[in-house]
């Protein structure tokens, strides 16, 4: 059932006021059981009381009227701290609202706090945060996934009905899967990045988390759209989608490789059988030649762009500063002490692939491989309406398990990065719990601007699975 | 043939006079309260994105067209990555790999002729913040940060400080004529870096001296001359030279090595991912390019102007256009004094030529009156002076003068009145001075009151003396 | 390629301390091997991606819009004196 609809009904029937609802969620959030929040909006109750008046007057305007939302701490909310889970911005107060925040506020949403994440969105487990790692609500010894760990947790644990996160290489989809909720990475350009602290400019997208597909759709509908301030954003086409069932869905062959945990494979087969039985879809395996190379391509492109995007954190205009009488020493000490290890690793790698002498061999080559990846996807869409694959090759892993070897952490992303490289939309939907009670989710990928197809199909599937 | 080969290349940075900045809508106004015209974008705050200014691109294309450059159909930007306090993002958005204009030429007026010098490329980029260094600290004002900047680079084709000077004078003039910048060097709107390299003919060399940020064209000419001589001397002695950056010492009149940091940058250029490519609008090419200075120059020479005279006139686009219109009706030798001496000596600066209180037609009329003798020369000089200084139209002043001091008109009426009233004149001549007022009244009656009685009296007395 | 020299040079360019080099050398070397895998792909006919086809910049009209919250920018800075942002001078 849509949380948004449920709550707004309560307001319409004057059964509850926004301040009642906010108190409910805010108190749960403030306990911060899973360390999903970095900071809270202490004014939210006051803001809710302003909306109470409107309810009493019968003026319930806005698609998110009085709905609490949590925001990943790399999206600027004016007046609140925006830390990016980094020491470098630990005391930075956002001087403006991100475009998506302006849109949420216009629709009456109430922001309860900023959620935990991997520092500068670089990570897959939320263990690279300067404010402590976060825990998976299904098993506190395990990671919630990253980098939008806090966002996924807050929705999963009922700390907020909705959340906004960001996805550069799987950072919405992976934690959504690990926490058993929906997470959408929109088509690149569908949602404005203005006010999203940049990691990799050509890959980043802001997207919604929710517990049901209808809420994902409502939230996406609000945040999408061209923004004059973001030249990489574009108009969203308004055509209606009328899917004809059974859909043709391609299953990535590598979903069944030995790199994927057994339970995930069997669940995938179960899912396929279910959909075939209900005549929702017909499945066929497809292969991607570029699959094994996607992670390498991703890390070259993402780290290169990140190394440039993070150059502004130098202690001059804002942020952490390690004072020194010599400017160059000040830069060095500030950045060395301010950034976490993983961030520094990526800055170093990214700088290397852009250096003269290596630019053609690494960065340009990776961008060529990226073209090939997109072409492969588009070719498959000539045959299929949707593509299906796991989100993660493993179930939510234990904290600390992948910290010793960063590359093992990178490999968590094998099923997610190629989608960002192509700019295509993809969505995580929760399927079932594993034998040990851990969430198993899967991923649909579609052509550019086909989010409506996700919503229609998943509504159908939601009904089928959950009745 | 000269033993030495001299190669001089120039890198010019020009601030464009758009209303808003290159990548954000902040006001372009450098000399304002510090940090007044700033926003999250031009101060490189987390989460911001650049939004390119259409006017700036239009200006860049206009300059490229005027200099006969090749202009691509599609443009994009690149990032130039390095650290410096005046660079908030840690990178500058510029153009690399593609330029708005390339392989063009500047028509340079030199020694009475027009010579074309090549331009390698014209790039659009953004300005950095203004810094004030005081006691080990730097005070930063971001009003300037993000203003559109045009970078114009030449190949090392110039061969003397004179050529460099003339090139820059001509380029500056062209940019002013196009209306894209005021090119005020003192305000930093037009900055030049020079590369000077001298080698013995036949013996290739890889050294090069960069002369940075010279504040005036004269300092530039002097420093280049000095540098050429310095390098020649070193070559004569057989000494080796390195690539270095030198500063011009205005007092000692010499170039000095700038303490080079050990640091060599690697700018790691890559295409700017935040700004997808955009087409150069076809309709911009339909807009006419303003007439360039060298075209006016050639016309003036044809009409009989001396090179020096033509160069003075073309210093202002308003004066060029004005003079051209005047020369449609009058020969140059008749107007040159009035323009070069009379007008120019009374205007406070070249800029105010655009606010002359008279049109070219009025001016033509004025000069014609002088030629025809209807207006004495000395009166004409006074009229021009009063017109410009007090912002009164020539027409008005001419009418007043002709009627009052009228010269010929007043004189004629006075003589008429004297002839018509012989007994009054007799009375005046025999001592009854007060009778002059009767004659004044008669003159005033004939002029229908349009005269200054005092001046009429003076005229009558003057005429009676003779 | 001299790995140590490369890393030192990079640390210089990104303003990180030389100490970091020792920490990252192994990971860096592994990542480079990892990256070289891409050579297995046939890319000779591919153009580099750089920008998605469906994106085109619409240039902004030259109009002034004032940012009203300048104080919030001043307040975030480590040192703000007499209307200026202050930091160490790059000139000795």
């Amino acid at each position: 059932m849509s949380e948004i609809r449920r709550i707004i009904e309560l307001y319409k029937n004057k059964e509850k006021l926004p301040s009642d609802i906010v108190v409910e969620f805010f108190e749960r959030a403030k306990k911060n059981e899973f360390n999903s929040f970095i900071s809270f909006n202490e004014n939210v109750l006051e803001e809710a009381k302003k909306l109470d008046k409107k309810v009493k007057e019968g003026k319930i305007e806005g698609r998110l009227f009085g709905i609490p939302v949590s925001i990943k701490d790399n999206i600027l909310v004016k007046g609140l701290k925006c830390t990016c889970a980094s020491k470098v911005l630990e005391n930075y107060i956002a001087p403006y609202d991100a475009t998506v925040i302006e849109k949420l506020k216009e629709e009456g949403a109430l922001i309860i706090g900023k959620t935990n994440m991997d520092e500068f969105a670089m990570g897959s487990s939320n263990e690279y945060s300067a404010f402590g790692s976060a825990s998976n609500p299904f098993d506190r010894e395990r990671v919630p996934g990253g980098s939008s760990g806090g966002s996924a947790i807050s929705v999963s644990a009922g700390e907020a009905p909705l959340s906004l996160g960001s996805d550069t290489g799987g950072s919405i989809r992976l934690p959504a899967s690990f926490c058993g909720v929906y997470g959408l990475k929109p088509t690149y350009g569908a949602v404005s990045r203005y006010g999203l602290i940049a990691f990799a400019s050509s890959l980043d997208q802001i997207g919604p988390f929710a517990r049901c597909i209808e809420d994902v759709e409502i939230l996406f509908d609000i945040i999408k759209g061209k923004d004059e301030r973001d030249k990489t954003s574009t108009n969203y086409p308004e055509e209606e989608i009328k899917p004809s069932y059974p859909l043709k869905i391609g299953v990535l062959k590598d979903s069944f490789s030995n790199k994927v945990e057994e339970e995930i494979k069997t669940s995938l087969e179960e899912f396929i059988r279910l959909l075939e039985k209900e005549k929702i879809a017909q499945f066929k395996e497809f292969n991607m030649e570029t699959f094994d190379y996607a992670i390498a391509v991703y890390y070259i492109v993402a780290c290169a762009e990140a190394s440039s995007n993070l150059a502004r954190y130098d202690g001059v205009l804002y942020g952490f500063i390690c004072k020194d009488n010599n400017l160059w020493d000040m830069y060095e000490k500030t950045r060395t002490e301010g950034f976490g290890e993983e961030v520094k690793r990526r800055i170093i790698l990214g700088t290397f692939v852009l250096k003269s002498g290596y630019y053609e061999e690494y960065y340009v080559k990776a961008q060529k491989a990226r073209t090939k990846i997109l072409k492969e996807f588009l070719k498959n869409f000539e045959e299929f309406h949707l593509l299906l694959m796991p989100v993660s090759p493993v179930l939510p892993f234990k904290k600390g398990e992948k910290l010793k070897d960063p590359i093992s952490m990178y490999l968590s992303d094998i099923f997610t990065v190629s989608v960002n490289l192509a700019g295509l939309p993809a969505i995580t939907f929760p399927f079932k719990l594993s034998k040990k009670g851990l969430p198993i989710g899967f991923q649909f990928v579609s052509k550019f601007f086909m989010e409506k197809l996700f919503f229609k199909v998943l509504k159908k599937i939601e009904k089928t699975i959950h009745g | 043939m000269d033993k030495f080969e001299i190669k001089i290349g120039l890198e010019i940075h020009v601030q464009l006079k758009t209303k808003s900045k290159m990548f954000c809508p902040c006001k372009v106004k450098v000399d304002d309260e510090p940090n007044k015209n700033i926003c999250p974008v031009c101060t490189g705050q987390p989460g911001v994105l650049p939004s390119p200014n259409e006017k700036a691109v239009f200006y860049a294309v206009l300059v490229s067209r005027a200099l006969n450059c090749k202009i691509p159909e599609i443009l994009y930007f690149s990032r130039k990555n390095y650290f410096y306090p005046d660079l908030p993002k840690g990178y500058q958005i510029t153009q690399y790999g593609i330029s708005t204009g390339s392989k063009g030429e500047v028509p340079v007026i030199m020694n009475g002729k027009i010579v074309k010098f090549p331009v390698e490329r014209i790039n659009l980029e953004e300005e950095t913040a203004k810094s004030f260094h005081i006691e080990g600290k730097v005070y930063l004002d971001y009003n300037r940060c993000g203003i559109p900047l045009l970078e114009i680079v030449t190949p090392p084709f110039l061969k003397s400080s004179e050529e460099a000077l003339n090139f820059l004078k001509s380029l500056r003039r062209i940019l002013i004529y196009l209306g894209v910048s005021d090119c005020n060097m003192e305000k930093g709107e037009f900055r030049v870096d020079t590369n000077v390299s001298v080698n013995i003919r036949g013996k290739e060399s890889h050294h090069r001296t960069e002369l940075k940020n010279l504040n005036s064209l004269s300092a530039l000419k002097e420093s280049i001359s000095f540098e050429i001589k310095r390098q020649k001397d070193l070559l004569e002695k057989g000494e080796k030279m390195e690539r270095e950056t030198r500063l011009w010492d205005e007092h000692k009149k010499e170039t000095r090595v700038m303490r080079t940091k050990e640091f060599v940058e690697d700018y790691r250029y890559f295409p700017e991912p935040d700004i997808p490519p955009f087409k150069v609008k076809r309709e911009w090419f339909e807009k006419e390019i303003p007439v360039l200075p060298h075209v006016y120059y050639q016309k003036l020479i044809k009409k009989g102007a001396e090179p020096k005279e033509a160069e003075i006139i073309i210093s202002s686009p308003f004066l060029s256009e004005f003079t051209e219109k005047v020369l449609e009706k009058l020969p140059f030798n008749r107007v040159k004094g009035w323009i070069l001496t009379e007008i120019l000596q009374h205007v406070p600066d070249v800029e105010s030529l655009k606010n002359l209180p008279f049109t070219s037609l009025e001016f033509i009329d004025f000069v014609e009156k002088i030629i025809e003798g209807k207006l004495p020369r000395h009166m004409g000089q006074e009229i021009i002076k009063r017109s410009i200084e007090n912002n009164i139209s020539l027409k008005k002043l001419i009418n007043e003068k002709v009627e009052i001091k009228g010269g010929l008109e007043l004189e004629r009426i006075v003589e008429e009145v004297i002839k018509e009233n012989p007994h009054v004149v007799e009375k005046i001549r025999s001592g009854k001075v007060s009778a002059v007022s009767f004659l004044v009244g008669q003159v005033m009656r004939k002029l229908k009151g349009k005269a200054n009685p005092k001046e009429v009296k003076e005229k009558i007395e003057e005429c009676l003396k003779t | 390629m001299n790995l140590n020299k490369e890393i030192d040079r990079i640390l210089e360019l990104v303003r990180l301390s030389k100490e970091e080099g020792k920490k990252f050398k192994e990971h860096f070397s592994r990542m480079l091997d990892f990256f070289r895998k891409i050579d297995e792909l046939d890319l000779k006919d591919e153009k580099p991606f750089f920008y998605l086809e469906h994106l085109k910049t619409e240039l902004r009209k030259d109009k002034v819009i004032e940012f009203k919250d300048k104080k919030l920018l001043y307040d975030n800075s480590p040192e703000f004196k007499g209307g200026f942002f202050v930091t160490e001078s790059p000139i000795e």
Side-chain angles (χ1 to χ4, degrees):
Chain A
M1 209 272 172
S2 160
E3 278 287 281
I4 299 174
R5 256 194 300 128
R6 180 183 75 83
I7 295 172
I8 295 192
E9 275 298 303
L10 292 172
Y11 296 152
K12 286 202 172 129
N13 299 334
K14 301 211 174 121
E15 278 175 57
K16 285 254 163 102
L17 292 171
S19 51
D20 299 325
I21 297 287
V22 160
V23 162
E24 242 179 75
F25 283 101
F26 197 53
E27 300 209 320
R28 204 175 304 144
K30 274 220 133 168
K31 288 202 192 110
N32 218 3
E33 261 183 84
F34 309 100
N35 203 23
S36 53
F37 282 88
I38 292 179
S39 71
F40 296 95
N41 175 14
E42 301 296 341
N43 292 326
V44 72
L45 201 54
E46 229 183 275
E47 290 162 19
K49 290 204 174 118
K50 290 198 186 123
L51 297 185
D52 287 353
K53 271 201 213 135
K54 294 206 167 155
V55 171
K56 290 177 184 147
E57 290 164 7
K59 282 201 200 132
I60 298 173
E61 288 155 349
R63 288 174 279 176
L64 293 179
F65 182 90
I67 308 287
V69 186
S70 68
I71 306 289
K72 184 176 182 183
D73 208 10
N74 63 353
I75 298 172
L76 272 76
V77 178
K78 185 171 167 187
L80 296 183
K81 270 202 258 181
C82 195
T83 69
C84 225
S86 177
K87 187 168 179 181
V88 153
L89 290 175
E90 62 187 345
N91 291 313
Y92 180 74
I93 302 201
Y96 67 95
D97 275 327
T99 299
V100 297
I101 299 300
E102 282 179 354
K103 291 183 169 192
L104 288 190
K105 286 182 178 176
E106 257 169 50
E107 299 286 347
L110 294 165
I111 292 163
I112 54 171
K114 309 301 293 302
T115 56
N116 205 350
M117 51 183 281
D118 283 294
E119 187 182 358
F120 282 103
M122 299 177 185
S124 312
S125 65
N126 213 143
E127 290 175 288
Y128 292 137
S129 164
F131 300 99
S133 60
S135 313
N136 192 315
F138 289 84
D139 179 345
R140 281 164 216 245
E141 315 249 301
R142 293 175 188 264
V143 302
S147 62
S148 316
S151 280
I153 296 167
S154 64
V155 170
S156 172
E159 292 166 343
L162 302 171
S163 189
L164 283 185
S166 73
D167 191 312
T168 305
S171 291
I172 287 178
R173 290 163 288 153
L174 184 64
S177 179
F178 277 15
C179 294
V181 296
Y182 288 90
L184 168 71
K185 181 206 96 63
T187 304
Y188 182 84
V191 180
S192 169
R193 289 183 298 117
Y194 189 82
L196 169 67
I197 296 183
F199 160 11
S201 314
S202 73
L203 303 168
D204 295 342
Q205 271 292 279
I206 293 175
F209 286 91
R211 287 159 71 133
C212 73
I213 190 68
E214 192 181 333
D215 288 346
V216 174
E217 185 176 10
I218 294 171
L219 192 43
F220 174 68
D221 214 48
I222 291 168
I223 61 175
K224 75 181 201 287
K226 187 168 177 174
D227 180 11
E228 287 311 308
R229 293 175 292 186
D230 175 3
K231 295 307 177 187
T232 60
S233 71
T234 177
N235 284 314
Y236 197 87
E238 286 305 334
E239 288 98 60
E240 260 308 304
I241 308 284
K242 292 197 172 74
S244 56
Y245 298 101
L247 291 171
K248 291 210 191 82
I249 302 186
V251 185
L252 180 65
K253 187 154 174 265
D254 290 272
S255 313
F256 300 106
S257 87
N258 54 11
K259 293 197 195 105
V260 183
E261 270 186 44
E262 205 51 49
E263 250 197 286
I264 294 181
K265 287 191 276 201
T266 48
S267 301
L268 185 58
E269 282 166 349
E270 198 187 313
F271 177 71
I272 290 171
R273 278 197 303 274
L274 174 65
L275 258 59
E276 278 180 330
K277 185 169 145 247
E278 298 292 323
K279 302 230 186 330
I280 294 176
Q282 278 169 342
F283 293 87
K284 192 175 153 200
E285 257 183 31
F286 74 98
N287 193 20
M288 276 191 80
E289 186 203 341
T290 53
F291 183 77
D292 287 329
Y293 307 94
I295 296 256
V297 173
Y298 170 75
Y299 275 94
I300 291 176
V301 174
C303 291
E305 293 178 7
S307 72
S308 178
N309 285 326
L310 268 62
R312 65 190 65 193
Y313 304 106
D314 58 11
V316 174
L317 273 168
Y318 47 78
F320 172 76
I321 181 173
C322 196
K323 291 204 185 242
D324 192 292
N325 285 330
N326 177 295
L327 175 76
W328 313 103
D329 290 337
M330 185 278 275
Y331 278 157
E332 197 180 289
K333 287 188 190 161
T334 297
R335 289 167 64 80
T336 303
E337 208 185 302
F339 288 130
E341 304 297 288
E342 180 60 27
V343 171
K344 283 186 275 198
R345 272 194 281 269
R346 297 196 193 197
I347 290 176
I348 291 170
L349 268 171
T351 304
F352 173 76
V353 302
L354 291 175
K355 266 184 91 233
S356 60
Y358 300 113
Y359 175 74
E360 289 288 332
E361 199 189 323
Y362 289 91
Y363 187 72
V364 178
K365 201 181 281 183
Q367 291 281 33
K368 288 183 179 175
R370 192 174 169 183
T371 303
K372 211 178 170 76
I373 291 172
L374 173 60
K375 276 193 187 157
E376 247 199 310
F377 269 116
L378 293 179
K379 191 147 197 309
N380 282 301
F381 284 121
E382 284 170 16
E383 195 184 338
F384 301 112
H385 295 111
L386 290 174
L387 303 177
L388 171 68
M389 61 191 82
V391 182
S392 162
V394 299
L395 291 170
F397 46 90
K398 287 228 163 109
K399 288 182 189 174
E401 200 182 293
K402 296 190 191 279
L403 288 179
K404 287 211 183 74
D405 179 14
I407 294 189
S408 68
M409 185 74 85
Y410 296 165
L411 294 172
S412 318
D413 298 333
I414 48 171
F415 290 110
T416 48
V417 296
S418 50
V419 167
N420 299 80
L421 290 168
L424 297 167
I427 189 165
T428 286
F429 57 93
F431 178 47
K432 64 188 277 197
L433 294 179
S434 75
K435 292 191 195 104
K436 286 205 182 125
L438 298 172
I440 297 176
F442 294 115
Q443 192 186 181
F444 279 140
V445 184
S446 79
K447 279 197 290 199
F448 297 118
F449 304 111
M450 275 292 181
E451 284 85 345
K452 289 194 182 122
L453 182 57
F454 291 155
F455 304 142
K456 290 221 148 99
V457 174
L458 286 170
K459 276 184 192 152
K460 218 175 165 67
I461 293 173
E462 211 177 38
K463 259 210 213 114
T464 308
I465 299 174
H466 303 295
Chain B
M1 217 194 198
D2 193 359
K3 173 181 179 188
F4 294 105
E5 246 179 351
I6 300 170
K7 297 196 189 103
I8 303 168
L10 300 171
E11 196 176 297
I12 301 122
H13 287 97
V14 186
Q15 282 179 8
L16 298 178
K17 60 176 190 184
T18 49
K19 294 197 200 111
S20 63
K21 291 186 179 180
M22 183 70 223
F23 295 112
C24 69
C26 283
K27 185 196 275 196
V28 168
K29 193 165 193 282
V30 178
D31 44 10
D32 207 344
E33 213 179 294
N35 292 304
K36 178 159 177 247
N37 306 314
I38 64 172
C39 76
V41 179
C42 55
T43 54
Q45 300 289 317
V48 296
L49 296 169
S51 178
N53 182 332
E54 187 180 58
K55 202 64 195 249
V57 182
F58 173 76
Y59 282 165
V61 171
L62 183 64
V63 174
S64 303
R65 282 173 68 208
L67 301 183
N68 277 328
C69 292
K70 277 211 288 269
I71 302 171
E73 275 185 43
I74 295 179
L75 290 174
Y76 64 88
F77 290 98
S78 294
R79 289 190 189 180
K80 178 182 183 182
N81 299 281
Y82 66 97
F83 284 83
Y84 212 71
D86 64 3
L87 191 69
K89 298 189 292 296
Y91 59 85
Q92 182 199 35
I93 301 178
T94 176
Q95 289 185 297
Y96 185 81
I98 195 168
S99 296
T100 304
S102 54
K103 305 267 186 268
E105 57 194 9
V106 177
V108 176
I109 297 169
M110 208 161 69
N111 302 327
K113 295 200 202 67
I114 315 280
V115 183
K116 300 227 166 119
F117 282 100
V119 162
E120 184 62 41
R121 58 178 186 272
I122 298 177
N123 288 338
L124 193 51
E125 50 187 39
E126 50 175 349
E127 257 288 21
T128 54
K130 224 165 162 197
S131 336
F132 300 96
H133 304 271
I134 302 170
E135 286 171 11
K137 293 274 201 180
V138 61
Y139 291 75
L140 297 156
D141 174 10
Y142 290 82
N143 282 347
R144 192 182 80 169
C145 196
I147 287 181
L149 211 57
L150 209 60
E151 181 191 58
I152 301 172
V153 182
T154 76
F157 268 41
L158 297 158
K159 293 185 173 42
S160 68
S161 60
E162 170 134 27
E163 283 190 356
L165 181 69
N166 281 309
F167 177 90
L168 289 167
K169 273 168 82 176
S170 290
L171 177 64
R172 240 187 114 242
R173 235 182 335 230
I174 291 171
L175 296 172
I176 290 171
Y177 271 60
L178 293 175
V180 304
S181 172
D182 291 332
C183 292
N184 187 322
M185 274 185 97
E186 279 102 62
K187 286 192 183 165
E189 294 169 359
F190 185 90
R191 305 199 290 273
V192 186
D193 291 337
T194 323
N195 282 310
V196 180
S197 152
V198 182
N199 59 278
I200 294 173
R201 199 172 288 275
K203 285 200 190 146
E204 264 302 327
S205 73
H206 298 284
H207 73 265
R208 209 178 57 188
T209 298
E210 196 187 354
L211 298 173
K212 284 195 85 71
N213 275 346
L214 296 142
N215 296 325
S216 68
L217 291 182
S218 56
L220 191 123
K221 182 161 191 275
E222 286 181 306
S223 61
I224 293 177
S225 296
F226 176 89
E227 186 54 26
I228 290 173
K229 183 167 189 306
R230 188 189 74 86
Q231 290 192 22
K232 278 185 180 170
D233 287 345
L234 287 176
L235 285 171
E236 294 279 25
K237 291 185 195 149
E239 279 185 39
K240 221 178 170 262
M241 283 184 279
E242 296 296 329
R243 275 196 178 201
E244 53 187 20
T245 305
R246 296 178 80 92
L247 297 171
W248 173 248
D249 188 327
E250 185 60 39
H251 301 291
K252 290 195 186 152
K253 300 285 181 189
E254 61 184 23
T255 63
R256 240 184 26 246
V257 180
M258 198 166 111
R259 219 178 308 137
T260 42
K261 312 166 267 176
E262 251 59 334
F263 206 79
V264 179
E265 290 283 2
D266 180 327
Y267 295 116
R268 290 156 280 135
Y269 293 96
F270 67 101
E272 170 57 85
D274 291 330
I275 305 174
F278 48 95
K279 287 206 179 115
V280 176
K281 291 195 173 159
R282 285 292 109 200
E283 56 250 38
W284 288 351
F285 288 84
E286 281 148 36
K287 215 165 183 259
E288 247 184 79
I289 305 173
V291 180
L292 296 184
H294 74 287
V295 175
Y296 282 118
Y297 181 85
Q298 284 168 318
K299 287 188 191 172
L300 286 166
I301 301 287
K302 260 208 186 119
K303 293 246 172 167
E306 290 295 315
K308 284 217 172 85
E309 295 171 332
E311 247 196 282
I312 294 173
I313 291 174
I314 63 167
S315 62
S316 154
F318 314 106
L319 194 56
S320 289
E321 209 188 318
F322 178 89
T323 307
E324 189 182 53
K325 291 208 187 105
V326 171
L327 294 179
E328 276 168 19
K329 293 277 159 62
L330 295 167
F332 184 74
N333 64 340
R334 287 290 196 172
V335 300
K336 76 173 186 183
W338 292 104
I339 294 176
L340 292 171
T341 310
E342 299 308 325
I343 293 184
L344 286 180
Q345 77 170 294
H346 297 302
V347 290
D349 52 46
V350 177
E351 262 304 291
S352 21
L353 283 163
K354 78 167 160 235
N355 296 322
L356 282 178
F358 47 84
T359 63
S360 53
L361 283 173
E362 283 179 59
F363 184 74
I364 290 169
D365 189 63
F366 166 82
V367 176
E368 272 173 351
K369 283 209 163 57
I370 293 175
I371 294 171
E372 288 162 14
K374 288 188 187 155
L375 188 60
R377 223 192 151 69
H378 70 276
M379 237 158 255
Q381 286 171 323
E382 254 195 77
I383 286 177
I384 282 269
K385 179 170 189 244
R386 271 192 71 191
S387 166
I388 295 173
E389 284 178 0
N390 301 335
N391 202 38
I392 309 170
S393 84
L394 279 180
K395 207 171 181 166
K396 187 159 187 257
L397 286 172
I398 292 172
N399 287 341
E400 279 178 17
K401 288 295 185 193
V402 165
E403 285 156 4
I404 300 177
K405 276 197 174 148
L408 303 175
E409 180 68 17
L410 180 62
E411 213 159 294
R412 191 173 63 78
I413 302 288
V414 162
E415 288 190 351
E416 219 176 81
V417 163
I418 289 174
K419 247 203 207 138
E420 288 167 2
N421 298 280
H423 2 277
V424 181
V425 172
E426 271 256 29
K427 276 197 186 149
I428 297 169
R429 284 217 168 110
S430 53
K432 198 165 182 202
V433 183
S434 54
V436 175
S437 17
F438 175 77
L439 292 179
V440 171
Q442 293 298 301
V443 172
M444 292 299 281
R445 197 161 57 85
K446 280 189 192 257
L447 288 178
K448 296 194 170 74
K450 284 196 184 137
N452 183 329
K454 190 164 174 244
E455 289 167 18
V456 172
K457 183 167 185 260
E458 279 173 21
K459 198 68 178 182
I460 294 172
E461 283 165 355
E462 199 190 297
C463 286
L464 288 178
K465 277 200 188 112
T466 51
Chain C
M1 184 215 310
N2 181 332
L3 202 61
N4 283 325
K5 253 178 108 190
E6 257 336 307
I7 294 178
D8 280 347
R9 176 68 175 130
I10 290 171
L11 292 169
E12 223 183 24
L13 287 173
V14 298
R15 309 290 164 180
L16 288 174
S17 140
K18 291 252 162 42
E19 308 296 302
E20 304 295 312
K22 303 175 194 133
K23 275 193 261 173
F24 298 136
K25 183 170 163 197
E26 202 216 307
H27 175 73
F28 186 72
S29 159
R30 283 181 71 203
M31 287 304 288
L32 289 192
D33 289 334
F34 196 55
F35 291 161
R36 269 180 225 123
K37 233 176 129 44
I38 299 177
D39 291 337
E40 291 169 21
L41 285 171
D42 175 17
L43 298 172
K44 65 177 181 316
D45 294 325
E46 302 297 352
K47 280 201 297 214
F49 187 97
F50 296 143
Y51 302 101
L52 262 175
E53 288 277 321
H54 64 251
L55 299 175
K56 293 213 164 19
T57 295
E58 212 182 277
L59 298 172
R60 173 178 53 89
K61 296 289 171 210
D62 188 26
K63 227 179 76 165
V64 172
I65 300 174
E66 192 195 340
F67 177 70
K68 299 271 164 74
D69 294 307
K70 287 176 273 251
K71 187 167 187 298
L72 299 179
L73 300 178
Y74 306 153
D75 289 345
N76 269 321
S77 87
E79 199 177 341
F80 190 75
K81 236 161 61 176
F84 292 91
F85 292 94
V86 188
T87 192
E88 305 308 319
S89 173
I91 297 176
E92 275 126 54

